[in-house]
mmCIF file of all heavy atoms in Angstrom:
data_model
loop_
_atom_site.group_PDB
_atom_site.id
_atom_site.type_symbol
_atom_site.label_atom_id
_atom_site.label_comp_id
_atom_site.label_asym_id
_atom_site.label_seq_id
_atom_site.Cartn_x
_atom_site.Cartn_y
_atom_site.Cartn_z
ATOM 1 N N HIS A 228 -3.285 20.053 42.784
ATOM 2 C CA HIS A 228 -2.713 18.800 42.421
ATOM 3 C C HIS A 228 -3.128 17.752 43.537
ATOM 4 O O HIS A 228 -3.377 18.125 44.695
ATOM 5 C CB HIS A 228 -1.237 18.911 42.316
ATOM 6 C CG HIS A 228 -0.457 17.672 41.858
ATOM 7 N ND1 HIS A 228 -0.510 17.171 40.599
ATOM 8 C CD2 HIS A 228 0.217 16.736 42.641
ATOM 9 C CE1 HIS A 228 0.181 16.026 40.565
ATOM 10 N NE2 HIS A 228 0.659 15.784 41.678
ATOM 11 N N VAL A 229 -3.139 16.496 43.265
ATOM 12 C CA VAL A 229 -3.408 15.391 44.185
ATOM 13 C C VAL A 229 -2.236 14.505 44.305
ATOM 14 O O VAL A 229 -1.603 14.061 43.349
ATOM 15 C CB VAL A 229 -4.705 14.653 43.735
ATOM 16 C CG1 VAL A 229 -4.754 13.382 44.745
ATOM 17 C CG2 VAL A 229 -5.980 15.392 43.761
ATOM 18 N N SER A 230 -1.822 14.119 45.504
ATOM 19 C CA SER A 230 -0.745 13.294 45.804
ATOM 20 C C SER A 230 -1.311 12.278 46.749
ATOM 21 O O SER A 230 -2.319 12.410 47.529
ATOM 22 C CB SER A 230 0.414 13.950 46.559
ATOM 23 O OG SER A 230 0.962 14.918 45.746
ATOM 24 N N VAL A 232 -0.130 9.271 49.804
ATOM 25 C CA VAL A 232 0.807 8.843 50.842
ATOM 26 C C VAL A 232 0.235 7.637 51.515
ATOM 27 O O VAL A 232 -0.805 7.676 51.966
ATOM 28 C CB VAL A 232 1.174 9.920 51.819
ATOM 29 C CG1 VAL A 232 2.101 9.477 52.883
ATOM 30 C CG2 VAL A 232 1.813 11.065 50.960
ATOM 31 N N GLN A 252 5.742 16.540 56.721
ATOM 32 C CA GLN A 252 6.430 15.738 55.603
ATOM 33 C C GLN A 252 5.394 15.404 54.479
ATOM 34 O O GLN A 252 5.748 15.566 53.307
ATOM 35 C CB GLN A 252 7.004 14.545 56.176
ATOM 36 C CG GLN A 252 8.297 14.761 57.052
ATOM 37 C CD GLN A 252 8.734 13.456 57.612
ATOM 38 O OE1 GLN A 252 8.894 12.489 56.876
ATOM 39 N NE2 GLN A 252 9.030 13.432 58.787
ATOM 40 N N TYR A 253 4.176 15.126 54.868
ATOM 41 C CA TYR A 253 3.182 14.781 53.870
ATOM 42 C C TYR A 253 2.890 15.955 52.992
ATOM 43 O O TYR A 253 2.778 16.002 51.874
ATOM 44 C CB TYR A 253 1.828 14.301 54.595
ATOM 45 C CG TYR A 253 1.895 13.079 55.408
ATOM 46 C CD1 TYR A 253 0.883 12.696 56.366
ATOM 47 C CD2 TYR A 253 2.900 12.238 55.254
ATOM 48 C CE1 TYR A 253 0.951 11.539 57.025
ATOM 49 C CE2 TYR A 253 3.057 10.888 55.999
ATOM 50 C CZ TYR A 253 1.879 10.772 56.945
ATOM 51 O OH TYR A 253 1.982 9.538 57.587
ATOM 52 N N PHE A 254 2.763 17.180 53.658
ATOM 53 C CA PHE A 254 2.500 18.394 52.981
ATOM 54 C C PHE A 254 3.676 18.870 52.117
ATOM 55 O O PHE A 254 3.555 19.190 50.947
ATOM 56 C CB PHE A 254 2.294 19.548 53.969
ATOM 57 C CG PHE A 254 1.139 19.345 54.885
ATOM 58 C CD1 PHE A 254 1.159 19.880 56.199
ATOM 59 C CD2 PHE A 254 0.067 18.542 54.550
ATOM 60 C CE1 PHE A 254 0.080 19.658 57.085
ATOM 61 C CE2 PHE A 254 -0.999 18.303 55.275
ATOM 62 C CZ PHE A 254 -1.021 18.877 56.646
ATOM 63 N N GLU A 255 4.901 18.452 52.525
ATOM 64 C CA GLU A 255 6.130 18.829 51.704
ATOM 65 C C GLU A 255 6.033 17.799 50.387
ATOM 66 O O GLU A 255 6.165 18.247 49.275
ATOM 67 C CB GLU A 255 7.410 18.495 52.445
ATOM 68 C CG GLU A 255 8.625 18.709 51.589
ATOM 69 C CD GLU A 255 9.910 18.539 52.411
ATOM 70 O OE1 GLU A 255 9.858 17.724 53.336
ATOM 71 O OE2 GLU A 255 10.897 19.209 51.955
ATOM 72 N N ILE A 256 5.612 16.470 50.475
ATOM 73 C CA ILE A 256 5.578 15.629 49.415
ATOM 74 C C ILE A 256 4.519 16.155 48.455
ATOM 75 O O ILE A 256 4.923 16.246 47.220
ATOM 76 C CB ILE A 256 5.144 14.203 49.987
ATOM 77 C CG1 ILE A 256 6.267 13.545 50.749
ATOM 78 C CG2 ILE A 256 4.642 13.358 48.753
ATOM 79 C CD1 ILE A 256 5.863 12.203 51.483
ATOM 80 N N ALA A 257 3.399 16.580 49.034
ATOM 81 C CA ALA A 257 2.340 17.137 48.119
ATOM 82 C C ALA A 257 2.787 18.465 47.381
ATOM 83 O O ALA A 257 2.522 18.648 46.147
ATOM 84 C CB ALA A 257 0.970 17.419 48.924
ATOM 85 N N ARG A 258 3.546 19.287 48.197
ATOM 86 C CA ARG A 258 4.077 20.655 47.515
ATOM 87 C C ARG A 258 4.945 20.282 46.381
ATOM 88 O O ARG A 258 5.103 20.879 45.336
ATOM 89 C CB ARG A 258 4.739 21.288 48.591
ATOM 90 C CG ARG A 258 4.197 22.572 48.926
ATOM 91 C CD ARG A 258 4.940 23.571 49.830
ATOM 92 N NE ARG A 258 6.040 23.070 50.656
ATOM 93 C CZ ARG A 258 5.997 22.513 51.880
ATOM 94 N NH1 ARG A 258 4.918 22.481 52.552
ATOM 95 N NH2 ARG A 258 7.112 22.168 52.465
ATOM 96 N N LEU A 259 5.952 19.288 46.587
ATOM 97 C CA LEU A 259 6.933 19.051 45.627
ATOM 98 C C LEU A 259 6.322 18.313 44.458
ATOM 99 O O LEU A 259 6.764 18.622 43.332
ATOM 100 C CB LEU A 259 8.045 18.142 46.254
ATOM 101 C CG LEU A 259 8.920 18.743 47.216
ATOM 102 C CD1 LEU A 259 9.961 17.818 47.823
ATOM 103 C CD2 LEU A 259 9.695 19.953 46.734
ATOM 104 N N ASP A 260 5.291 17.526 44.781
ATOM 105 C CA ASP A 260 4.541 16.939 43.524
ATOM 106 C C ASP A 260 3.782 17.987 42.729
ATOM 107 O O ASP A 260 3.832 18.018 41.503
ATOM 108 C CB ASP A 260 3.531 15.996 44.036
ATOM 109 C CG ASP A 260 4.131 14.494 44.497
ATOM 110 O OD1 ASP A 260 5.357 14.373 44.231
ATOM 111 O OD2 ASP A 260 3.447 13.788 45.105
ATOM 112 N N TRP A 261 3.371 18.981 43.393
ATOM 113 C CA TRP A 261 2.583 20.139 42.791
ATOM 114 C C TRP A 261 3.516 20.848 41.863
ATOM 115 O O TRP A 261 3.230 21.206 40.754
ATOM 116 C CB TRP A 261 2.055 20.969 43.905
ATOM 117 C CG TRP A 261 1.297 22.158 43.355
ATOM 118 C CD1 TRP A 261 -0.095 22.311 43.043
ATOM 119 C CD2 TRP A 261 1.767 23.446 43.166
ATOM 120 N NE1 TRP A 261 -0.321 23.473 42.657
ATOM 121 C CE2 TRP A 261 0.833 24.381 42.647
ATOM 122 C CE3 TRP A 261 3.176 24.150 43.266
ATOM 123 C CZ2 TRP A 261 0.915 25.850 42.301
ATOM 124 C CZ3 TRP A 261 3.267 25.485 43.008
ATOM 125 C CH2 TRP A 261 2.212 26.281 42.440
ATOM 126 N N LEU A 262 4.773 21.313 42.429
ATOM 127 C CA LEU A 262 5.811 21.819 41.569
ATOM 128 C C LEU A 262 6.197 21.035 40.355
ATOM 129 O O LEU A 262 6.287 21.574 39.301
ATOM 130 C CB LEU A 262 6.997 22.186 42.538
ATOM 131 C CG LEU A 262 6.873 23.316 43.482
ATOM 132 C CD1 LEU A 262 8.091 23.287 44.467
ATOM 133 C CD2 LEU A 262 6.854 24.669 42.726
ATOM 134 N N SER A 263 6.413 19.832 40.607
ATOM 135 C CA SER A 263 6.772 18.894 39.597
ATOM 136 C C SER A 263 5.905 18.772 38.531
ATOM 137 O O SER A 263 6.155 18.752 37.275
ATOM 138 C CB SER A 263 7.146 17.492 40.126
ATOM 139 O OG SER A 263 7.633 16.628 39.131
ATOM 140 N N ILE A 300 -3.901 13.489 49.352
ATOM 141 C CA ILE A 300 -3.671 14.851 49.789
ATOM 142 C C ILE A 300 -3.998 15.964 48.600
ATOM 143 O O ILE A 300 -3.174 15.785 47.605
ATOM 144 C CB ILE A 300 -2.269 14.938 50.193
ATOM 145 C CG1 ILE A 300 -1.871 13.993 51.301
ATOM 146 C CG2 ILE A 300 -1.995 16.550 50.732
ATOM 147 C CD1 ILE A 300 -0.476 14.060 51.725
ATOM 148 N N GLU A 301 -4.886 16.661 48.624
ATOM 149 C CA GLU A 301 -5.171 17.819 47.602
ATOM 150 C C GLU A 301 -4.451 19.084 48.053
ATOM 151 O O GLU A 301 -4.668 19.425 49.173
ATOM 152 C CB GLU A 301 -6.714 17.973 47.525
ATOM 153 C CG GLU A 301 -7.507 16.832 46.969
ATOM 154 C CD GLU A 301 -8.921 17.107 46.753
ATOM 155 O OE1 GLU A 301 -9.271 18.307 46.949
ATOM 156 O OE2 GLU A 301 -9.692 16.158 46.596
ATOM 157 N N VAL A 302 -3.687 19.579 47.189
ATOM 158 C CA VAL A 302 -2.929 20.811 47.504
ATOM 159 C C VAL A 302 -3.253 21.818 46.421
ATOM 160 O O VAL A 302 -3.421 21.458 45.158
ATOM 161 C CB VAL A 302 -1.313 20.538 47.570
ATOM 162 C CG1 VAL A 302 -0.864 19.972 46.275
ATOM 163 C CG2 VAL A 302 -0.618 21.838 47.913
ATOM 164 N N PHE A 314 0.055 27.514 50.376
ATOM 165 C CA PHE A 314 -0.665 26.353 49.838
ATOM 166 C C PHE A 314 -1.755 25.891 50.940
ATOM 167 O O PHE A 314 -1.445 26.005 52.079
ATOM 168 C CB PHE A 314 0.372 25.213 49.728
ATOM 169 C CG PHE A 314 1.357 25.509 48.677
ATOM 170 C CD1 PHE A 314 2.564 25.993 48.981
ATOM 171 C CD2 PHE A 314 1.094 25.190 47.354
ATOM 172 C CE1 PHE A 314 3.558 26.196 47.993
ATOM 173 C CE2 PHE A 314 2.144 25.365 46.340
ATOM 174 C CZ PHE A 314 3.351 25.896 46.696
ATOM 175 N N TYR A 316 -4.172 22.475 52.041
ATOM 176 C CA TYR A 316 -4.237 21.164 51.837
ATOM 177 C C TYR A 316 -5.461 20.525 52.373
ATOM 178 O O TYR A 316 -5.874 21.028 53.499
ATOM 179 C CB TYR A 316 -2.997 20.530 52.673
ATOM 180 C CG TYR A 316 -1.672 21.046 52.405
ATOM 181 C CD1 TYR A 316 -1.200 22.262 53.075
ATOM 182 C CD2 TYR A 316 -0.784 20.559 51.404
ATOM 183 C CE1 TYR A 316 0.054 22.835 52.890
ATOM 184 C CE2 TYR A 316 0.472 21.139 51.133
ATOM 185 C CZ TYR A 316 0.815 22.272 51.950
ATOM 186 O OH TYR A 316 2.073 22.829 51.691
#
Side-chain angles (χ1 to χ4, degrees):
H228 184 75
V229 174
S230 296
V232 173
Q252 292 179 44
Y253 298 162
F254 302 149
E255 181 179 27
I256 290 167
R258 245 187 348 265
L259 292 177
D260 286 350
W261 180 88
L262 283 167
S263 183
I300 306 169
E301 292 181 12
V302 58
F314 295 95
Y316 310 88

